[in-house]
Structure formats: structure tokens, C-alpha cells
Amino acid sequence: MATFAYVGKTRQGAAKKGELIAKTREEAAELLRKQNIVVTTLQEKAKEGGFAFSLGGGVSDKDIVVFTRQFATMINAGLPLIQCLEILSAQSENKLMCKTIGEVRVDVEGGSTFADALRKHPKVFDDLYVNMVHAGELGGLLDTILGRLAKHIEKAMKLKSLIKSAMVYPAAIMGVAVIVIAVLMIWVIPIFAKMFLEMSGGKTGLPGPTQLVIDASNFMQSNIVYIVIVAVGIGYGFKQYYATPKGRLLMDRMFLALPVMGDLIRKASVAKFTRTLGTLITSGVPILDGLTITSRTSGNKVVEEAILVARQSISEGKTVAEPLAKSGVFPKMVTHMISVGESTGALDAMLGKIADFYDDEVDAAVAGLTALLEPMMMVFLGTVIGFIVIAMYLPIFKMAATVG
């Protein structure tokens, strides 16, 4: 795809200029002809460099929400699909989003369905988005479906923000602790060690804690490069192992088993699963397709496998609730409510209620986790740094006692 700048006139003689995206110059001219524009100048714009493009970043959830809400409003107002895409492409501030919408418009003008055009851009529009749009097109409820999509993405953003806030606080505290301890061990402790060495004429006679801290400081100074290399290597190795199916399954199972954090991850996974599946079923997506899409977006391999087992159960004519209950991942209340929803034919409504409940549970879990971690982190920092400070002052106290 390329961007073409054009200057021309409408059939009524009014001047017209702008930009459009097309595969070739001939295709751009044909698109303008269909819009009843007589072209006087048509030139391909130079492509931006890769570095400049990368500065524009990707497409955020917020960009998708804004696009979806505006699109739903325009469709509801009766504007033609292609005109909506043209307007949204022109006013989008995100370069990648603008380019993507332009390419989608070209595909739609070429006879493709809106859902098929979106499917060509999986990095921007995921399976959930595309399948809901497809269901909306088939049912003639595109504006309604887009409204549901925007609401779903906004709630998913809120959930993601809560999880990030729960992770950021302990990570920040641990980062500060590592920096403070490194500064003390590499720059401050050697000054004390030199002073004690000059005062005592050797290392003999130093209290045990003091000697321990000085030895640790000497080790860090001598091997700081190797320590950094090993730390980076461990981080890289963990990332590579987690990228494998076996590694991800093992680590995700361990995450769910963590005392406090595991409960938060479980509640977030349940909220995401029920919200996504409920939205898909309400929008007319078949339940088998909905379970497949939901498993891909679960974010946890253990939850993903449990959902796929439930899908297999449905395909064999059984219920969804039974395999979910056997997995041990989903709480009994959730599987019981899903079972009731299946038996009453109101599964989508029941899933929505579960999602609302677990959204509140995640809020409470994050607040509880923050309240629990704050004193724990303070105690940890105070203990470590306090031990180092006391260890350094022990020889001074001993010397003062001797003099006295």
C-alpha cells in the first residue's frame, strides 16, 4: 500500500485536494473517479523511514476504543461504511491507525466485507474484534456490536490497569532496595572497611556481622560485571523458557499457586474469561468459536487448556461447566453459575454477572495486596539496611566501650 496526494475538482467545479491509500497509482485514480473527482495532479508520497515510523508507536487499546465508539456513532447516524472509514482515517492522530484504517477502506471499496478487511491486520484487530464485527454484519447490528466492543475493551483496559498497579508497587520498592544496597556495598562499605583496617591494623577483631558485610562488599566489587551478566542471563533464560509451551504451562501453574498474587491472577483470569465469552455469545458468535477465541486471549496457559477442554466437551454434546469444575482453576461458585446459565438458556447474562462480580473482586484483591505488601516491603528494607548500618557501627561501639 502507498499514500497518494491528489488535487482535483468535483463535478460541480469545486476544488478538492487530499490524500488516499491505494496499492497502485491506477487504483488511486479509479477510487477518485468513483468519488466523482476529476484529478489534475496525483503523486505518490515518499515513505517515512523505519526509525521515524517506529517513534509513532503501535496502536493502543485507547486508540481502538476511540475508533470503535466514533465508528458506532457514525453507523448509527446512517453514514455509509466507506465514508465513515474515510473520515476516521483522516482524523486519527496515530499514524499506524490511520494507515490501517485507510487500507481497510481500500479493501472494503474493492468488495471485501468489513470483517475480512479487518482480519488482514491481526496486530491491530484481534480475533475477538473481527468475529464480533462479522456477527454484527451478518445480523445487521454493526453499530450495536461496535458499542459492545468499545465497552468490552474499556473494561479490559481497567482490569489490565488494576493488575499493573498491583505489580508496579512491589517492583518499584524492590528496585529502590537493590539500588540502595548496591550503593552501600560498592561505595560506602569500602570507606568503613578502610577505616577499620587502619584502626585495627588488620581484619582480626572485627565483629562477625561487620566482617560478613565487608566480605560481601569485597565480593561485589570484584565480581560486579559477572553478577550483572549472570542476572541478565537468568532473566533472558527465564523469558526464553516461558516462551515455550511447556515452560509457560509450568510457570503459569506456579503463578496460580502463589499465596496472595495467585488469588489475584485467578480472579483476573475468571473476570476476563467470563466477560469475553459473554460478550461474544451476546453478539451472536457461536459458542465453539467463542471458546476458541477466549482461550487465545486468556493470558494464562492453565486457564487456556481448561477452556479448550470445555470446548471439546461442548463439541461432544456435553456441558461447559463440568470440565471447568474438574480443572480446579475456576471457583465452585463460577462453575455452578455457568451450569445454571446453561440449563436456563441464559448463559450470556450469567457470564456478564460473574464478570461484574469478579471485577469488584479484583478491585478488592488489589487493594488488599497493596495494603499487605506495603508493611512487608518496609520491614524487608528496614531489616536489610538496618543490618548493614548496625554491622558497620559495631566496631565503633566496641572501641568506645574499650576506651571507656
Side-chain angles (χ1 to χ4, degrees), residues 58 169 196 202 212 301:
Y169 182 77
F196 296 149
L212 176 64
K301 193 69 175 177

Side-chain angles (χ1 to χ4, degrees), residues 49-63:
F51 180 72
F53 179 74
S54 66
L55 290 176
V59 177
S60 66
D61 290 339
K62 187 176 180 181
D63 294 325

Side-chain angles (χ1 to χ4, degrees), residues 360-391:
D360 294 337
E361 284 289 292
V362 171
D363 280 338
V366 169
L369 181 63
T370 304
L372 178 66
L373 284 174
E374 187 170 349
M376 288 178 63
M377 291 293 181
M378 292 301 105
V379 169
F380 170 76
L381 269 175
T383 302
V384 173
I385 297 176
F387 175 80
I388 295 173
V389 171
I390 292 172

Side-chain angles (χ1 to χ4, degrees), residues 196-267:
F196 296 149
L197 187 64
E198 291 174 352
M199 290 169 60
S200 63
K203 294 184 179 180
T204 57
L206 289 177
T210 307
Q211 190 63 57
L212 176 64
V213 172
I214 290 175
D215 290 341
S217 174
N218 292 334
F219 177 80
M220 284 190 67
Q221 290 180 79
S222 303
N223 302 280
I224 186 63
V225 175
Y226 300 107
I227 292 172
V228 172
I229 292 173
V230 169
V232 172
I234 291 173
Y236 179 76
F238 174 81
K239 183 179 179 182
Q240 293 298 109
Y241 181 67
Y242 190 72
T244 64
K246 183 179 178 181
R248 187 178 176 194
L249 180 62
L250 177 63
M251 296 306 299
D252 283 348
R253 188 173 284 118
M254 288 175 60
F255 292 151
L256 287 174
L258 291 172
V260 180
M261 191 64 72
D263 184 53
L264 174 60
I265 294 172
R266 189 185 306 274
K267 288 176 178 178

Side-chain angles (χ1 to χ4, degrees), residues 21 88-90 92 94-103:
I21 298 173
L88 291 170
S89 175
S92 177
N94 186 296
K95 292 183 180 180
L96 179 57
M97 192 69 184
C98 178
K99 179 175 180 290
T100 302
I101 298 171
E103 292 177 359

